[in-house]
Structure formats: C-alpha cells, structure tokens
Amino acid sequence: MYTPEILESLKKVEATRDERMKTEPRRMTADEKDALLKAYHPDYRADGFKEIKIGPNKGQKAPAELADLLHSNSRILGENIDISKVDYDVDVLVIGGGGAGSSAAIEAHEAGADVMIVTKLRIGDANTMMAEGGIQAADKENDSPVQHYLDAFGGGHFAARPELLRRLVMEAPDAIKWLNKLGVMFDKDSDGRMVTTHGGGTSRKRMHACKDYSGAEIMRTLRDEVINRKIPVVEFTSAVELIKDEKGQVAGAVLLNMETGDYSVAKAKTVVIATGGAGRLHYQNFPTSNHYGATADGLVLAYRAGAPLLYQDTIQYHPTGVAYPSQIFGALVTEKVRSLGAMLVNKDGEAYAHPLETRDVSASAIIRECASGRGVETPLGSGVWLDTPMIEILGGEGTIEKRIPAMLRMYLNYGIDMRKVPILVYPTLHYQNGGVEIGGEGFTKAIPNLLVAGEAVGGIHGRNRLMGNSLLDIIVFGRNAGKAAAKKAKDVTIGEMTLSHIDDYAKELKSAGIEAESVSPLLLPKYARHER
C-alpha cells in the first residue's frame, strides 16, 4: 500500500515510539496558539475570502464560495409560481431532516402542532449521521455545566454568544437523558454508568459515545421516533426560497422536487431552518468529511429573506481527515482516536504537538508541519502520522476493536491495520462555525416566526467548536426550536403571502454592480466537468 518514502518514514515512527511513550508533548501557551493560527489556519488566508456586497452583512467577509452564493439570484426569479395555490398547510415547517430538524419536529409534534419535515435527500442523510466521536454533557460527579461552559468558551476564543452557550451546557444533561430514554445505545460500564472520555480542549471526561458511530446511532433513534409518530416527511424535496407575508413574517417556503423539477408551495405559521453545514462547497479546495447535501442552503435562504449571519467567516477544519489511501481521502478520523492515546507525529517520528489541543490549533500544527517539509509525501499531497498502535499499548489489546470499530473496519477495507501501523492524516473541511444569527429561543432577530437550529446557526460555539458540542447543539437547539415554534404557531395569523423580497434582492445585486449569472441555493455540489 505504501511508497518507499512512506515506509522509510514509518520506520522512524516505530523507532521513536518507546521514547515518545515516556513524555507527552506540552500544551502550547496562548501566545503560541495565536501565532500558529495566524500563520497557518485557513481562516487567516486573505485569498480565501470575499467581501459581501449586499444585505445585512454588507462590508463583512465570507468564504469566497459562500459569498458567490450570496451574490447569486434566486432559483425562482422569473419563474411563474402561484403561491396562492398551497400544496401543504401546516403549523410548523421544518426544513432539513438531520438531527436538529428531527429533534425539532419531534418536540413540535409532542406539543400538539401540525408539523412537517421537508428534506432534499432522505431523512437522516445529514452530517449528524456521519458524526463519530461523541456528545458532551457535564453529568458526572467531578464535572459541572459551569466547567463545560468555561472549556467551550475558551475553546471558541471567547466569541460564543453567552446566552446560547449557557443554554447549550445547562441543558446538556437533560439532552443525554432524553436520547437515552428514546433508545440511544450509549457505551456503559458493567454497572450501567455511561462511559465518558476526554476530547480536545476539555478539562473533564464528559464525552458520551456509542463506539465511534455516535451520530449514526443518535440519528437512527431520532428517525425511528419521527416515523413512529407518523410525522409527514417530504423527501427528495428542497426548500429553494422562503415565503413571507405583507407584514414581513415568514409564511412558508417554495419547494422543489429534486426528481421531477416541479415546484410546490408550503404554507406555515412558523418555519425552522435546520439545513446543516457547508462542507460540499469545498472552501479553499479542501476535502470534506460532510455528507453530499451540505451546501449552506439555509444560510442563503435566510440571508436573502433579510436575516443577518454571524461568524460566517470562520470554518472548522478537522485536524484528522484521511490523507491516504485515495478511496477515503478526506473522510473523518474521529478525535476519539487521539483521546484514546494516539499521538500526532511528523515524518521524522517527532511528536510536535499535544494530541488534544483544540481542533483549530491541531489543524494548524499539521498544516505547519507539512508546509515546512516535515510532512509525509503521499500520491495525494502530504500528511502526518497518527500513531494508532499506541492505543493498543496503552489500553491493552482489543481496545481499538472495542472502542473505535468503525474506524478499524474502514481502514481494513484497504489493507491497513491501524492496530499495527499508524495512519496518515491531514485536515478536512468539517464544520460551519458561523451561520444565521439567533436569539436564545432560536428565533432569528430580523424575520418574525423564523427559527434556526443546528449547524446553520452562528454564535453557539464562537470561532471554534469543541468535539462533541455539535451533536449536543442539534439536540438542545433542535428540541427548543420545536417547542418554541409550536407555541408561537398558536398565536400567528398569516397575511397575504409574497415573494417580493426575491425581486428586491435582485435589484440590490444590480445596484451593487453585480451581474449575477448563477443561482442559489446550490442544493447539490457540482462535481461533473463539462467540456465547452
């Protein structure tokens, strides 16, 4: 499987392992971290960003690929869509069928609302399904939500919105209880107590997991609950534009059938955007760990309707994506691998950084090693070693198969036994730190009755997210959005529905001198190459 150069480097890793086992690399100081981030983190690359020319965030920067979508016209501009002909009429419309959307729908249904989910792929086709490592909650004797808050606030560079982060950590223990009651098969010891581990940037072992397929297990349970409750789910159908009424309230959405190309109209008293991330935009040409539909649709829909974004210029690059072999290039290598004892090691066998620094610091350190010639050259580029045999040495034979079986199987499919040899990793585009700005109850601040939950939200994590807090936020903010949407729907009266904001946006683009040739939302990534 390996080239002679890779094998030569591998020998150095094995030769230095005993010495590295004796001394763990020290953690960086705050000044060292700041210097490293500014020098190597992709968020600091000026050429990766563009200025937003119109809308609520005019004058701010965004990743170039996202800015291009914000500078595009609506897919339905000029289309003859009769929004007075309503195909679906519900109390609560949930856009997105991942963890946040499903949680919202379950709680809205529990509150007695008439709720419907619309999702462009199938229910469960989401980043939630692909999450591996675990979900944080301070529910052990030596921990507290306050400590969880301090870890997350510092890890996010003190930029998280306090009201959002406070809600995240305070409601975390109840989120675990709720999932456990629904049937999520958390790892537990012989006494029935949940097994918890460290994550990068955590001061306590508060990571609850289901082996290394935590997201899939959570999504399985949520999906089953949606189905058991007989909540309507309209699959392979995208929301391509929000509908408002003459009072400025959100009033529903225009939907596109992804198979037939037909449009339909959904009227709703409240709308929850839970469309997930942006990895398939491949910012700065990075590979991604995201699912196929992660194209920032919710950000575009909300922004065109007038909702401001927050921290849209900050992205999380997971430090350990697969660098080799090519068949799984960019796939996620869970942080749990490092929490179980694997060290990050350069081509010379040197452990150059503490294995559990925060994700932005770890990613930047890997990029630095590769840019400085200390990475391992592969047919795909370069990467560093993640010394996985250390897990078996520290935890005993069988630890990898017991704790991270999916990871083991993934590599065994390509002839690599991570119990015996290290694996090669490089940062992969993983998480959308920024998104639509919301208040503590989940409502946007500019559009009445529009809520946002999950990865499409900005401000929960600040400018960097700790491991396990994304699976947590989809549950906490998804549930809260569902409850709030159902409650608000009881008092909402929808006026005359309109799409006038679409024409207004097109005029604003023209006034800014932007000749929009493309349309948004993107819906699906464009991988096909067409010869002209």
Side-chain angles (χ1 to χ4, degrees):
M1 283 294 294
Y2 291 144
T3 64
E5 291 79 12
I6 293 176
L7 289 173
E8 184 64 29
S9 176
L10 180 56
K11 291 178 183 178
K12 295 179 181 178
V13 175
E14 293 171 340
T16 59
R17 185 176 292 140
D18 287 344
E19 188 63 31
R20 286 187 284 103
M21 294 282 290
K22 299 174 184 177
T23 306
E24 193 171 62
R26 68 172 179 84
R27 290 188 181 272
M28 298 181 195
T29 66
D31 288 343
E32 287 173 332
K33 291 178 183 179
D34 287 343
L36 177 65
L37 292 171
K38 290 175 182 176
Y40 292 101
H41 196 278
D43 279 359
Y44 290 87
R45 286 187 55 180
D47 59 354
F49 297 85
K50 290 182 180 179
E51 181 183 345
I52 301 173
K53 299 292 187 180
I54 66 168
N57 294 84
K58 180 180 179 179
Q60 298 179 17
K61 70 174 184 176
E65 297 82 356
L66 177 60
D68 288 343
L69 293 180
L70 298 179
H71 293 160
S72 299
N73 275 316
S74 169
R75 283 181 166 271
I76 61 172
L77 181 68
E79 293 278 354
N80 185 23
I81 298 175
D82 183 3
I83 58 173
S84 66
K85 181 181 178 297
V86 175
D87 299 280
Y88 306 97
D89 193 346
V90 295
D91 296 328
V92 179
L93 175 66
V94 178
I95 303 173
S102 297
S103 297
I106 291 166
E107 290 291 12
H109 184 267
E110 181 68 19
D114 181 11
V115 58
M116 181 179 86
I117 296 174
V118 58
T119 182
K120 67 182 174 185
L121 298 173
R122 302 165 300 179
I123 183 170
D125 287 340
N127 282 347
T128 303
M129 180 65 77
M130 304 177 79
E132 296 171 350
I135 175 172
Q136 283 203 50
D139 58 1
K140 292 288 182 71
E141 295 85 351
N142 67 335
D143 202 359
S144 73
V146 172
Q147 193 62 48
H148 188 176
Y149 182 98
L150 293 173
D151 288 348
F153 198 48
H157 301 288
F158 308 100
R161 288 292 170 88
E163 63 175 332
L164 302 183
L165 184 54
R166 186 183 306 116
R167 187 177 291 270
L168 180 76
V169 301
M170 292 299 293
E171 297 181 19
D174 186 62
I176 297 294
K177 290 180 181 178
W178 185 70
L179 290 172
N180 190 54
K181 185 177 180 181
L182 285 180
V184 171
M185 301 292 288
F186 286 109
D187 295 340
K188 297 176 182 177
D189 62 21
S190 58
D191 295 325
R193 286 170 55 87
M194 292 195 188
V195 175
T196 52
T197 57
H198 273 299
T202 63
S203 61
R204 300 290 188 275
K205 293 182 178 181
R206 67 173 71 95
M207 201 68 56
H208 302 65
C210 314
K211 301 291 189 293
D212 58 345
Y213 41 81
S214 302
E217 171 62 9
I218 288 171
M219 192 66 247
R220 175 196 68 81
T221 307
L222 295 175
R223 182 181 58 215
D224 285 353
E225 185 68 11
V226 168
I227 293 170
N228 290 340
R229 286 174 174 266
K230 295 181 171 57
I231 295 171
V233 181
V234 184
E235 296 182 315
F236 299 109
T237 301
S238 295
V240 293
E241 209 63 64
L242 294 177
I243 300 171
K244 300 167 78 171
D245 68 9
E246 83 282 0
K247 294 176 283 187
Q249 301 178 119
V250 71
V254 177
L255 311 180
L256 171 66
N257 186 304
M258 299 290 285
E259 296 176 302
T260 67
D262 294 329
Y263 290 106
S264 57
V265 173
K267 181 180 180 181
K269 296 175 181 177
T270 56
V271 175
V272 180
I273 289 177
T275 51
R280 290 291 167 170
L281 298 184
H282 292 286
Y283 297 142
Q284 301 187 36
N285 293 315
F286 269 79
T288 185
S289 62
N290 283 195
H291 83 107
Y292 194 62
T295 49
D297 298 353
L299 275 61
V300 173
L301 296 180
Y303 194 78
R304 188 177 288 126
L309 305 179
L310 181 65
Y311 302 149
Q312 72 282 347
D313 60 328
T314 175
I315 308 299
Q316 182 165 93
Y317 298 83
H318 196 292
T320 54
V322 175
Y324 188 82
S326 60
Q327 296 95 327
I328 49 174
F329 183 62
L332 182 64
V333 176
T334 174
E335 192 166 309
K336 193 172 181 179
V337 175
R338 285 176 286 139
S339 72
L340 291 173
M343 278 186 179
L344 290 165
V345 183
N346 65 22
K347 74 172 185 179
D348 298 317
E350 299 169 337
Y352 55 86
H354 191 280
L356 288 178
E357 295 283 8
T358 55
R359 286 179 171 178
D360 54 351
V361 171
S362 291
S364 299
I366 293 172
I367 293 171
R368 177 196 64 196
E369 293 302 295
C370 292
S372 303
R374 295 186 294 272
V376 182
E377 291 302 316
T378 78
L380 303 170
S382 62
V384 298
W385 293 107
L386 189 52
D387 195 1
T388 49
M390 290 181 65
I391 297 174
E392 300 276 289
I393 297 171
L394 292 168
E397 185 177 346
T399 300
I400 287 178
E401 187 169 10
K402 179 181 179 181
R403 301 298 296 277
I404 47 174
M407 198 101 295
L408 174 62
R409 287 196 300 271
M410 180 174 76
Y411 275 98
L412 284 176
N413 284 337
Y414 303 101
I416 298 172
D417 189 342
M418 63 189 296
R419 296 168 295 190
K420 299 176 181 178
V421 296
I423 55 178
L424 286 164
V425 296
Y426 190 80
T428 184
L429 183 55
H430 185 60
Y431 190 80
Q432 179 178 274
N433 287 325
V436 183
E437 185 176 8
I438 63 168
E441 296 296 321
F443 289 94
T444 61
K445 297 185 176 182
I447 306 171
N449 310 328
L450 177 64
L451 303 94
V452 188
E455 195 172 344
V457 172
I460 299 173
H461 309 287
R463 292 188 169 273
N464 181 61
R465 178 181 62 77
L466 297 188
M467 171 192 179
N469 278 348
S470 58
L471 282 179
L472 177 59
D473 89 47
I474 64 172
I475 303 302
V476 169
F477 287 91
R479 293 181 70 194
N480 286 343
K483 294 173 185 176
K487 181 179 179 180
K488 181 67 174 178
K490 296 176 181 178
D491 302 320
V492 172
T493 301
I494 299 296
E496 182 179 354
M497 297 197 298
T498 176
L499 292 171
S500 61
H501 65 281
I502 296 173
D503 295 316
D504 294 341
Y505 199 85
K507 292 174 184 176
E508 193 174 354
L509 284 170
K510 191 172 183 179
S511 296
I514 299 172
E515 294 294 331
E517 297 181 356
S518 56
V519 296
S520 61
L522 181 60
L523 302 183
L524 294 174
K526 295 180 179 179
Y527 292 136
R529 295 183 179 180
H530 301 285
E531 299 296 332
R532 289 176 180 259

